[in-house]
Amino acid sequence: MSSPYEMSDDSPVYVISVAAELSGLHPQTLRSYDRLGLVSPGRSAGRGRRYSLRDVLLLRDVQRLSHEGVNLEGIKRVLALENELERYRGIIAEMTDEMAQLRTELESTRAVAARLAGLLRSRKAGASLVPVRGPARAAGPPETGPKPAGDEPGPAVPAAGAGRASQAGNST
């Protein structure tokens, strides 16, 4: 939240009497549910209970389950399982997003591999591979002397036909 005046569903704002009215329960029932750990409201500076909108909705769920014949221990277990389910749903959503990202990266890698395979096939047909160099250098006279080892991306690949010319010179 960027402002102290903005509120979320988790903002503890309702005193116990308002929360009791909104949930359709007696304030003493809310105190009992707090002691049992079914609904744990926030606290004010003076230690008074402050319920959020999410707490009120949870109180309504507790009331519904109670009217359906579920005892308080059963309600506590149902609420714990629902929380666990929500946590797992979040994990599944994260994993789904990660899988989508990995699939995209895999397809990109496959495209690069296919391009490299095509270049290798064309090289066998007589074309040459051009090594990729680092950033372009300023125009000027060509460098003389040995080049630093870090300048080359890999072993030197002779241009197509270069080996044949040297072999032709050796046969005479």
Side-chain angles (χ1 to χ4, degrees):
M1 292 184 290
S2 60
S3 165
Y5 301 108
E6 290 182 31
M7 292 187 343
S8 74
D9 291 346
D10 293 320
S11 300
V13 293
Y14 303 112
V15 295
I16 192 166
S17 59
V18 174
E21 188 174 328
L22 290 172
S23 64
L25 297 169
H26 192 275
Q28 192 59 38
T29 305
L30 272 62
R31 289 183 190 93
S32 174
Y33 289 171
D34 185 15
R35 280 191 298 277
L36 292 170
L38 289 173
V39 179
S40 300
R43 298 287 179 161
S44 68
R47 300 295 298 149
R49 291 175 176 87
R50 294 290 185 268
Y51 291 85
S52 68
L53 179 59
R54 194 172 311 277
D55 292 332
V56 171
L57 295 174
L58 187 58
L59 287 167
R60 288 180 181 173
D61 283 344
V62 170
Q63 182 184 35
R64 178 184 52 80
L65 289 168
S66 180
H67 285 303
E68 290 175 0
V70 181
N71 66 19
L72 293 179
E73 282 302 313
I75 292 172
K76 194 172 186 177
R77 182 69 179 139
V78 166
L79 295 177
L81 289 171
E82 285 178 350
N83 285 337
E84 191 174 355
L85 177 63
E86 281 305 309
R87 187 172 62 89
Y88 288 138
R89 283 182 176 154
I91 290 170
I92 288 171
E94 288 174 14
M95 293 175 120
T96 302
D97 290 344
E98 186 177 346
M99 281 181 12
Q101 180 182 357
L102 290 171
R103 281 188 177 120
T104 301
E105 290 175 13
L106 177 62
E107 289 304 315
S108 175
T109 303
R110 284 181 176 161
V112 169
R115 186 161 183 240
L116 287 173
L119 287 172
L120 286 174
R121 278 191 301 274
S122 66
R123 179 171 177 250
K124 289 177 185 173
S128 65
L129 292 177
V130 178
V132 178
R133 303 255 181 213
R137 295 194 177 123
E143 292 182 21
T144 59
K147 292 186 180 183
D151 200 30
E152 293 291 324
V157 178
R164 288 185 218 135
S166 63
Q167 288 174 355
N170 290 342
S171 64
T172 55

